[in-house]
Structure formats: C-alpha cells, structure tokens
Amino acid sequence: MRLSSITALSLFVLASSALAQTVPPAVKSAEASVDDERIRAHVQFLSDDLLEGRGPGTRGGEIAAKYIAAQFEAYGLKPGGDNGTYLQQVNFVGTKVIPDKTHVSLVPERPKGEVAIDLHSYDLKYGDDYTVSNRTLTPSVDVNAPIVFVGYGVVAPEFGWDDYAGVDVKGKVILCIVGDPPSEDPKFFGGKALTYYGRWTYKFEEAARHGAVGALIIHRTDLASYGWDVVKNSNTSEKTYLRDNKDPQLAAASWIQLDVARTLFKAANLDLDTEMAAAGKRGFKARELPVRLEAHIESAVRSFQSPNVIGILPGLNVAEHKPDQAVMYTAHYDHLGFVPGMAGDNIYNGAADNATGCGMLLEMARAWTQSGIKPPHSVIFASVAAEEQGLLGSEYLGQHPPVPPSQIALDINYDMILPIGVPREVNLNGVQRTTFNSTVEATARRFDLSIVPDAHPEAGGYYRSDHFSLSRVGIPAFSVDQGDLFEGHDEAWGAAKSKDFVDHDYHNFSDNYRPDWNFQGNAKLVRFGLEVGWEAITAPKPIEWLHGDEFEAARRASEK
C-alpha cells in the first residue's frame, strides 16, 4: 500500500524527532554554550601580526602552538603529545631558495636528422617564470639532464593508464601537466572531480619513484584551480619537509608558467596545445625532448621542530581498559609566514586560512570539556603543523596517532571557513564514501543544513586538506565546509564571496582579520560537528569506508 505524501512526511518528522531525542541533554547543553565571539577572539589573536604568519619552525608558529596548548590545558584536556605534554614534536627540514645564486635554463639541442628552430638557451626568472625546490635537502645541487614529456605523469593501473610506459626517466627531468587526464566519466579518473593523481604532490612523488632527478609541472589556471600567484606565494617562501622521510626525492621539484612550457615545446619543434591534447588521450607515448634543463640551485637549509598540538577528553572505555572508537577533530594552525625585508605588508596572516578552523577547534574543545559530557569513547583534538607545506603535520599524526588508527572512528576537519554569515548548506566531501553518510545526513537536516556536492570538484578539495592524511592510514575522514547559500542571501551572493576570496586573498598578504566578519555561521558548524562527533562515538557499528573505496584497504590493514 502506498503511503500518502502527508503520512510519509509525518513519519519522517517523527523519525527525526526520535533521533534528536537520543542526543543527551549534556550534549545539547554543550551545543548551546558555543559562542561565536569566542571563536572571533581566537581568530583575531592567531592572525595578528605578532604571530608573523605562523610559519613552521618560526617564533610566530611557536607562539600559535603554545597558545593552543594553553587553551587545551585550561579546558582540562589530557595531554596527547610527547612526554606528558600537549606538543607532539615533528622533525622538519626547511629549505629556502636563494634567488641570486639560483639559475635555471632551458637549453635546446639539435637532434640527429632534425633542425631545431632556435638553439639559444632560455634563462628563466625565479618566481615569475618558475619555482623550484631541492627536495634532497642539500644546500646546493646541479642538474643537467634531458627533459622527458610524460603527459599527465600518471601511473593508474585501475584505469589502464601509464604515462611512463616505454620510457626510462632515470637521471632525467620529467615534464608533466597539472591535473588528471580529461574525463566526463565518474568511473574514469573521477570524471570532472580531481583525483589524487592530479595533485602536484603526486606528480613529484611519482617522478621520484621512477628515478627522475627533476620534475617540471606545467601550470594552467583552469586545471590547477588557482592562478600563478598562488603557486608563486606558496613556493617562494621557505619549503618544509619531514626530516625522516625515506622516500626518493627530487633535486629539482619545479612549477613552470604555461608560456614557459609553450617556449619549451617550440624549441623542440612542437606545439604545446597539440601535445597537451594528445596527452589526454589513450595511446599517448612519452618522449624525450631535444631540450635539457640546466640548473644550479642554492638553498638556505635548516633543521627544526614544529609541533602538532594534541589534547584528549578520555572516554569511559579507557578507564575500563576497552578498545577505543574515538572521534578526532583537526585543524591546521600554520600558514606561510612572512617575507623578510619586503616593504609594506609582508605577513601572510592567514586569518581565514586557517585561524578560523583553529578558533572553531578551540571552541569545540571548550564545549566538549566544560559541559559535563561523559563520552563513551575518547574525543581527540589535534591542531596540526605544516599543512601548507603538503599536509606534513597531519601525515606525521597519521603515522603516530595518540591511539591506533583502527581505534579512531572518524576524523572531522575544519579548514578555512569564511566568516560571512550563517550557512544553509554544507559540503562534506568524503562522508558519502562511508557507512556513516545517512547518519550525517539526518543530523544536517536537524541543523537546517542541506548537504550539497562539492561546487568545484575539479579543484580536488578532498586531497588538499588534513583529513586526507588520516584517510591514507584508513581513518574515515572528511572536512566540514560551507556551501553557497547563506541566510538572507541567494546562492549567487555566496558564490561571489567565495570567488572574491580565492581570487584576491587566498594565500595572499590580504588574508587578514576583519572586524565586520560574522562568526555565527562558524559557531553553527561547531555545534553541527559536535553532534556528529557524539553520534560517531555512540554508533552501534564501527564506521567503515564503503566497499571498493580507495581507502578501504588501509582501514582493513589497520585493523589487523
């Protein structure tokens, strides 16, 4: 018998009300205590010039870490770091290119039987034409090697795709395109959604695994989802690496402007647009170009420590010596630091990115601990270092968690939540890949939040924030982000606000605290995350990745 629409609606309302009633009064009290002005105060302090952009291993970064640790201690959280402290120290090496002593040139060669158009070398300008980093972490390195065009630089057996097939790149420099091979099919490189194969981090990793000494990634704004200024600002300040990483590394990890790539192909008697189009089709064959990269790279190198900051609200299971199923909340506190000697505003304050996430994490921690909640499983709060350097702090956290990864039910991450009003939509990219999706959907409805797809799947947002590091060790994880619809406005308004920030402020000196920011929406998303976390630690069954998901195998491995 078919239910009438009225009957069906009534049953839905009753079911939602019953589910809401399972949330205990202490949790509701915690939610009610969340204060947007407390979040504002944290953001204002963390993005102040005093903290000099919160660069890893800098005075400002240390102040930020100690500030967060002090808040955790004041809330009564148990230390989750080293030696009974809140600080989990991570060993890093920082390298900063010395522009006046670094030289990079493209040098055409005359292939046998062919006539090159132009044999003069092309000297490139650091920052304007290219960026580079010596990932071998030595003060000086020289590279003189042929360039091999490997299309998108992808090896993806599940898609029958190997851009390195039939070519040996050992001791050579690969040239590749940022992003995935083009696809409209969600089952083939994610369709329009960027996969990890499209990320710059993957391109460098894969090149090094194949024995290349260098890699040149061709930047194109539509494929990268950000302009050259973001590449320049992110890669011309100090770059940070995990000191104890044993994976192979590149001597020259570089981005180049699209026009530089056009010049390079022209020097090889080739057309850039034709070659890029061919690279996106099956049957593409990598080829060595009659052009060499000659580079001398000098860097200032320093070793340092920068901590993840971890506080824990122990669950009742801990006292009973039973396995945990903890919920973890994460937000990175680092940003890009500052540019010494630069006139004018030279500090990357990172107010939105990610003082907002830190302020929300701190208010989340306060609400959990000061409301009298007695969680059945632990609640972990982790503010991580060096996210802007390639998710390094969260990578270390994933490898050295305060409890085994198999005993962490869920990670909820907050990163760059613009304080522009109260959202009516959320994007929770990744939760749909877990068995927890229907529970989160029901919670969102109770908070008057519609879950919307990622507005820019081509940007690969899932692989660009710290939850990804936790996913790689099997922990179900996602970030909470806003959609475009806000109270009192239409979607076009929200989309315009987001675009304006990305175009003008993202990874720029202008990402500063603004007194007119409205943090009520940030508070709403803290309340939402608190309730989702409660449901995670009281779930009747463990949260899992869906069968066939790319992270399922890591979860299974962690459970052995």
Side-chain angles (χ1 to χ4, degrees):
M1 182 177 67
R2 176 177 291 179
L3 294 172
S4 70
S5 59
I6 295 177
T7 303
L9 178 61
S10 299
L11 289 174
F12 170 76
V13 171
L14 287 171
S16 297
S17 299
L19 185 56
Q21 291 171 2
T22 65
V23 179
V27 174
K28 285 299 182 183
S29 175
E31 292 173 11
S33 77
V34 172
D35 186 347
D36 57 294
E37 289 304 311
R38 287 196 188 97
I39 299 172
R40 177 191 299 277
H42 292 311
V43 173
Q44 187 172 5
F45 175 78
L46 289 168
S47 60
D48 191 86
D49 283 355
L50 171 71
L51 278 73
E52 300 174 332
R54 307 188 305 277
T58 66
R59 185 183 73 94
E62 184 177 359
I63 292 173
K66 289 184 175 179
Y67 175 83
I68 294 166
Q71 302 303 312
F72 285 173
E73 183 175 14
Y75 302 153
L77 291 174
K78 175 187 173 183
D82 304 331
N83 305 314
T85 73
Y86 295 94
L87 306 181
Q88 180 188 58
Q89 294 292 351
V90 186
N91 294 316
F92 292 109
V93 176
T95 70
K96 188 178 188 309
V97 168
I98 304 172
D100 293 345
K101 297 182 179 180
T102 294
H103 310 285
V104 172
S105 300
L106 303 174
V107 183
E109 297 178 322
R110 192 186 304 279
K112 292 181 180 180
E114 295 185 26
V115 178
I117 292 176
D118 191 348
L119 290 181
H120 83 270
S121 64
Y122 298 86
D123 297 330
L124 304 184
K125 187 175 181 180
Y126 180 70
D128 292 337
D129 295 330
Y130 77 100
T131 68
V132 69
S133 181
N134 173 11
R135 293 184 164 213
T136 66
L137 309 182
T138 59
S140 178
V141 69
D142 291 293
V143 174
N144 187 345
I147 298 172
V148 182
F149 179 51
V150 294
Y152 285 87
V154 169
V155 179
E158 68 272 33
F159 301 131
W161 194 280
D162 186 354
D163 284 327
Y164 286 86
V167 64
D168 182 5
V169 301
K170 289 180 180 177
K172 300 175 183 178
V173 174
I174 69 99
L175 172 69
C176 68
I177 307 163
V178 69
D180 285 323
S183 170
E184 298 290 331
D185 181 0
K187 296 181 179 179
F188 182 68
F189 285 105
K192 293 183 178 180
L194 189 77
T195 71
Y196 187 59
Y197 292 119
R199 291 282 290 141
W200 60 267
T201 47
Y202 170 82
K203 310 291 187 185
F204 289 152
E205 292 165 358
E206 193 63 43
R209 281 192 287 266
H210 279 79
V213 296
L216 306 173
I217 297 179
I218 301 170
H219 173 266
R220 205 174 84 182
T221 297
D222 59 327
L223 299 180
S225 80
Y226 42 77
W228 181 256
D229 279 351
V230 172
V231 175
K232 179 179 177 179
N233 293 341
S234 302
N235 290 279
T236 53
S237 54
E238 182 181 70
K239 296 296 294 178
T240 302
Y241 303 97
L242 291 170
R243 187 195 68 185
D244 301 321
N245 187 347
K246 303 303 181 185
D247 294 333
Q249 299 296 332
L250 300 172
S254 177
W255 287 79
I256 59 173
Q257 285 263 39
L258 186 65
D259 286 344
V260 172
R262 196 175 301 280
T263 297
L264 194 162
F265 277 106
K266 183 178 179 182
N269 283 339
L270 298 170
D271 175 70
L272 170 71
D273 297 327
T274 301
E275 297 303 313
M276 288 183 69
K281 299 176 181 177
R282 288 200 180 276
F284 166 79
K285 298 295 183 183
R287 65 159 116 177
E288 186 171 318
L289 304 178
V291 183
R292 300 178 71 84
L293 181 77
E294 292 186 3
H296 175 75
I297 304 164
E298 288 203 25
S299 307
V301 181
R302 68 183 181 107
S303 296
F304 63 91
Q305 290 185 323
S306 190
N308 295 325
V309 190
I310 306 171
I312 302 173
L313 177 61
L316 297 175
N317 66 293
V318 175
E320 298 169 359
H321 304 287
K322 295 179 179 179
D324 219 337
Q325 276 299 295
V327 64
M328 177 184 285
Y329 296 99
T330 50
H332 76 90
Y333 69 85
D334 67 293
H335 200 51
L336 301 176
F338 68 101
V339 181
M342 176 182 168
D345 185 0
N346 66 338
I347 299 175
Y348 294 103
N349 296 87
D353 186 14
N354 184 37
T356 57
C358 290
M360 295 169 74
L361 180 77
L362 289 171
E363 182 62 356
M364 178 81 74
R366 187 208 58 76
W368 268 100
T369 56
Q370 295 186 354
S371 62
I373 298 175
K374 303 296 183 185
H377 295 281
S378 299
V379 184
I380 303 169
F381 305 91
S383 191
V384 296
E387 187 269 356
E388 304 290 10
Q389 305 298 321
L391 315 182
L392 298 182
S394 57
E395 179 181 341
Y396 187 87
L397 176 64
Q399 295 167 353
H400 305 86
V403 300
S406 62
Q407 295 186 35
I408 300 176
L410 184 69
D411 171 63
I412 301 173
N413 186 60
Y414 289 94
D415 190 355
M416 201 171 78
I417 311 295
L418 291 180
I420 56 175
V422 179
R424 298 287 304 279
E425 297 176 339
V426 283
N427 167 244
L428 308 173
N429 190 16
V431 72
Q432 76 279 6
R433 301 163 64 163
T434 75
T435 58
F436 199 47
N437 187 44
S438 60
T439 300
V440 175
E441 287 179 335
T443 307
R445 286 192 292 268
R446 295 199 299 274
F447 279 82
D448 191 27
L449 290 168
S450 299
I451 298 178
V452 295
D454 186 356
H456 302 285
E458 71 283 355
Y462 191 81
Y463 305 95
R464 291 173 59 181
S465 196
D466 290 303
H467 62 260
F468 174 54
S469 295
L470 286 309
S471 300
R472 295 182 88 172
V473 297
I475 300 169
F478 64 91
S479 284
V480 176
D481 199 3
Q482 301 170 132
D484 290 332
L485 184 61
F486 290 80
E487 289 184 4
H489 303 279
D490 60 14
E491 289 180 328
W493 180 89
K497 287 286 188 181
S498 177
K499 183 177 186 302
D500 181 70
F501 177 83
V502 171
D503 289 348
H504 301 107
D505 303 320
Y506 176 62
H507 282 202
N508 214 326
F509 300 110
S510 54
D511 182 7
N512 298 316
Y513 168 77
R514 301 175 188 180
D516 63 347
W517 271 348
N518 179 352
F519 286 89
Q520 293 179 18
N522 301 71
K524 178 178 181 177
L525 296 183
V526 169
R527 296 184 189 104
F528 169 70
L530 195 156
E531 194 156 312
V532 170
W534 173 260
E535 289 165 339
I537 59 177
T538 57
K541 295 181 180 179
I543 300 170
E544 302 287 356
W545 295 102
L546 295 179
H547 180 65
D549 190 86
E550 65 181 294
F551 303 116
E552 181 190 22
R555 188 61 165 177
R556 293 286 173 263
S558 75
E559 294 168 343
K560 293 181 179 178

